[in-house]
């Protein structure tokens, strides 16, 4: 069973930055696309960006790429989400998810990711 664990959330002021980390227990054909989703209270879940770990190819909506950057350290089985110039509307629970390569596309298909982390809270205040 693949396990996914996020960390790095916290409280930050507007304009600040945070880097979230996601450790994946193992990469398999079912878990070589790693993505980040978020969900704010009262809002729908939203896909942010993804990385196909084999080729380090990234995917996601252009609007998200403006201040969200995904990267990986294969030696540590870790994927990162660098978040810059944070805004109040970025406040949400952020989830790291793992799925097959076919899930690595825009828009990110939440239902095709098999493994989900518990989430890490990001709170942005003015």
């Amino acid at each position: 069973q693949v396990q996914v664990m996020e960390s790095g959330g916290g409280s930050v002021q507007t304009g600040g930055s945070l880097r979230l980390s996601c450790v994946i227990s193992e990469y398999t054909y079912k878990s070589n696309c790693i993505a980040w989703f978020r969900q704010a209270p009262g809002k729908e879940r939203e896909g942010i960006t993804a990385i196909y770990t084999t080729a380090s190819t990234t995917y996601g909506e252009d609007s998200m790429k403006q201040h969200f950057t995904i990267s990986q350290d294969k030696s540590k089985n870790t994927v990162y989400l660098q978040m810059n110039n944070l805004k109040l509307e970025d406040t949400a629970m952020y989830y790291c998810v793992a799925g097959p390569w076919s899930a690595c596309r825009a828009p990110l298909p939440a239902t095709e990711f098999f493994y989900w982390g518990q989430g890490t809270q990001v709170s942005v205040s003015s």
Side-chain angles (χ1 to χ4, degrees):
Q1 178 77 3
V2 174
Q3 295 183 335
V4 178
M5 182 173 294
E6 315 93 334
S7 63
S11 298
V12 64
Q13 292 188 324
T14 52
S17 298
L18 275 177
R19 188 178 77 162
L20 306 183
S21 299
C22 174
V23 177
I24 300 94
S25 61
E26 61 177 317
Y27 290 127
T28 70
Y29 73 96
K30 288 185 177 180
S31 63
N32 54 18
C33 176
I34 309 301
W36 289 92
F37 283 78
R38 68 181 180 182
Q39 187 163 22
K43 294 188 176 181
E44 292 186 357
R45 185 171 49 197
E46 182 177 31
I48 302 172
T49 185
I51 186 166
Y52 174 47
T53 57
T54 302
S56 296
T57 311
T58 62
Y59 303 81
E61 300 294 333
D62 288 340
S63 60
M64 289 292 187
K65 292 180 180 179
Q66 292 178 3
H67 67 290
F68 291 112
T69 303
I70 193 168
S71 62
Q72 66 171 337
D73 184 337
K74 287 185 178 180
S75 68
K76 298 180 179 179
N77 274 27
T78 301
V79 171
Y80 303 100
L81 182 68
Q82 178 68 42
M83 307 186 295
N84 297 324
N85 190 25
L86 286 165
K87 305 174 183 179
L88 295 175
E89 53 265 37
D90 292 319
T91 294
M93 186 71 78
Y94 284 71
Y95 297 92
C96 181
V97 303
W101 171 77
S102 57
C104 262
R105 64 183 191 270
L108 295 170
T111 57
E112 296 181 25
F113 288 92
F114 301 130
Y115 308 104
W116 288 69
Q118 294 297 312
T120 185
Q121 178 68 39
V122 172
S123 298
V124 184
S125 61
S126 58

